[in-house]
Amino acid sequence: MDTIFALASAQGKAGVAVIRVSGPSALEVGSTLSGKTLPDRGMTFSILKSDTGEILDEALVLSFRGPESFTGEDVVEFQVHGSNAVVAAMLDELEKLSNVRLAEPGEFTRRAMDNAKLDLTQVEGLADLIDAETEMQRKQAQVILSGGLRKIADRWRSDLIRAASLIEVTIDFADEDVPVDVTPEVNKLLSGVMFDLNREIEGFSVSERIRSGFEVAIIGAPNVGKSTLLNALAGRDAAITSEYAGTTRDVIEVRMDLHGLPVTLLDTAGLRDTDDHVEGIGIQRARDRAEQADLRVFLANEHEVLDVRFVDGDIRLFPKADMRQSPDGAISGKTGEGIDYLVQHVFETLKNRSVHAGISTRARHRNALNRCSQSLDRAIHVLKDGPEFYDIAAEEMRSAIRSIEGLIGRIGVENLLDEIFSSFCLGK
C-alpha cells in the first residue's frame, strides 16, 4: 500500500490543525520531519523542518504502530498550529517526499475497513457522526459506529448458520434414520430471526427520519400567517411575508434542532382554487409535501375544510391569535402567542415516535433486511412441506445469510464502496 497524507481537521484558520499520514513509510516520514526517532506508540514535541532545514512549525507528533491505529497501518499525526500558512507549508513539504502521496476522499476510512478495523455499517456510522447536527443524530450514529448493527447481524447470521447446518445434516442422512427431529429447533431459530428482522424493518422509517430529519408541514389557506409562523419558529426571515394572498409559491424549508431532534419545517403555498398556472403548481406541491410529511400543522378557522388528510398526531390551530377576541386554541407568529405550545406538541409527538426507531438507517440496510426476511419466509413455508423439500429450505437459508453478509459489507458491495467513500473528506 502507498503511504498517504491529508489534512484531517477542517479547512480554515484554527488553533490546531491535524495532518495525518498512514502507510508503511509513515513513521519514517514522521522521523524525517521531526528529526527524531518516533516511538511505536506515543507523543513527542518536535520542531518540524523542511528538507532545506527551514523551520516549518513547532508541533506535537503522535505515532501509532499498526495494527493498533485507526487505519490498521502505521500512522503519524502532526498537530500543528492551525494557520492556513502553516498547513500549506506542511502539505507542500509532504508532497515533496517521494514515498508518500495525497490521500483520496475517504481513503483513510477505506483502509480501516480493508484492515478489518471497521465494517461497512461502522463506516456509514462514522459518516453520519461527521454529519450529525443534533443530539439524537449523534447518539444514533454512535450506536452504529460502535458496531451495534453488526452485533445484531452477527447474531442473526450465527442462528441461521446453525439452522442451515441442522437441515443439511438431515439431507446428508436422507437414506438413514436420523435419531432426532431437528425441525423444532430450526423453526425456533428461523422464527426468532424473523421476529427481530420484522421489528427492525418496522422501525426503519423512524430511524431514517432521525438521520435525515423529520418533516413538519405548515398548511392552510392563503394569508393565514403560515410564513410569519415559519419565520418565528426559525428565528429569522426565511420566508417572504405579505398581506397579498399567494405570496408563497414553492415549498420553503428550514432545518432546526428541536430539543435534539432534527426537524425540517415546511412553509407551503396557500391552499385554494386558482387560475394562476404557477400558483397552481405551488399548491399541488404543497399538497404533495404535506401528505408525505411526518406531521402537519393546520392553520384553519372554525368549520374550514382543507384538502389535506388529517392524521393522528397532526395539530389544528386557529390562525392570527393577535386578531381574535380569544387566543384559546390559536397561534400567532407575529406576537408569539401559542408558539411554546406548538413546539412542545411537535417535540412530544416526534419523541414518542422515536422510541420505536430501529438501528438500521439507510435504504441499503432496509433492502438487505427485506431480502433476508423474504428468504426466511420462503424457508419457513418450504419446511412445512416435508423432508423432500429440505434442500430448497437450506438454499433459502443460505440466501438469507448472504443478505446479512452483504449488510455488514462482507460480500457483494464492491460496487457501492466508491460511492460511499467519496462522500468523506480527504482527511477521513
Side-chain angles (χ1 to χ4, degrees), residues 47 56 131 145 220 280 296 324 342 346:
I47 296 177
L56 298 171
D131 291 336
L145 178 57
R296 283 147 291 278
R324 305 177 71 88
L342 172 61
V346 171

XYZ file of all heavy atoms in Angstrom, residues 47 56 131 145 220 280 296 324 342 346:
77
model
N 10.330 20.168 16.709
C 10.436 21.280 15.755
C 10.511 20.655 14.368
O 11.457 19.923 14.059
C 11.682 22.143 16.047
C 11.555 22.798 17.418
C 11.842 23.208 14.966
C 12.770 23.603 17.826
N 9.436 24.700 9.943
C 8.051 24.754 9.477
C 7.104 25.122 10.613
O 6.213 25.949 10.455
C 7.637 23.411 8.873
C 8.426 22.948 7.649
C 8.054 21.509 7.297
C 8.158 23.867 6.465
N -21.607 14.109 10.008
C -22.683 14.970 9.507
C -23.719 15.310 10.570
O -24.633 16.100 10.306
C -23.398 14.288 8.336
C -22.519 14.182 7.100
O -21.584 14.993 6.977
O -22.750 13.280 6.269
N -21.622 3.294 14.828
C -20.165 3.325 14.790
C -19.554 2.348 15.789
O -18.500 1.757 15.529
C -19.667 4.746 15.068
C -18.152 4.966 15.120
C -17.493 4.519 13.812
C -17.827 6.415 15.415
N -52.420 25.648 5.200
C -53.609 26.451 5.430
C -53.942 27.249 4.189
O -53.246 27.180 3.171
N -50.797 27.450 -9.100
C -51.393 26.118 -9.069
C -50.352 25.021 -8.883
O -50.578 24.048 -8.163
N -48.296 17.459 10.404
C -48.867 18.625 9.745
C -49.439 19.575 10.793
O -50.100 19.130 11.744
C -49.984 18.207 8.769
C -49.488 17.623 7.461
C -50.426 16.567 6.917
N -50.380 15.381 7.767
C -49.446 14.441 7.686
N -48.490 14.543 6.786
N -49.449 13.400 8.501
N -57.815 37.866 17.262
C -59.012 37.175 17.735
C -59.379 37.682 19.121
O -58.523 38.099 19.906
C -58.789 35.666 17.768
C -58.321 35.083 16.433
C -58.039 33.598 16.559
N -59.252 32.829 16.725
C -59.974 32.357 15.715
N -59.596 32.563 14.464
N -61.071 31.667 15.942
N -47.122 24.876 20.538
C -46.902 24.167 19.279
C -45.569 23.423 19.300
O -45.501 22.244 18.925
C -46.927 25.153 18.110
C -46.533 24.592 16.740
C -47.490 23.485 16.324
C -46.485 25.705 15.698
N -45.165 19.346 18.972
C -44.390 18.714 17.901
C -43.278 17.852 18.491
O -43.059 16.712 18.066
C -43.802 19.784 16.959
C -42.818 19.161 15.979
C -44.920 20.497 16.193
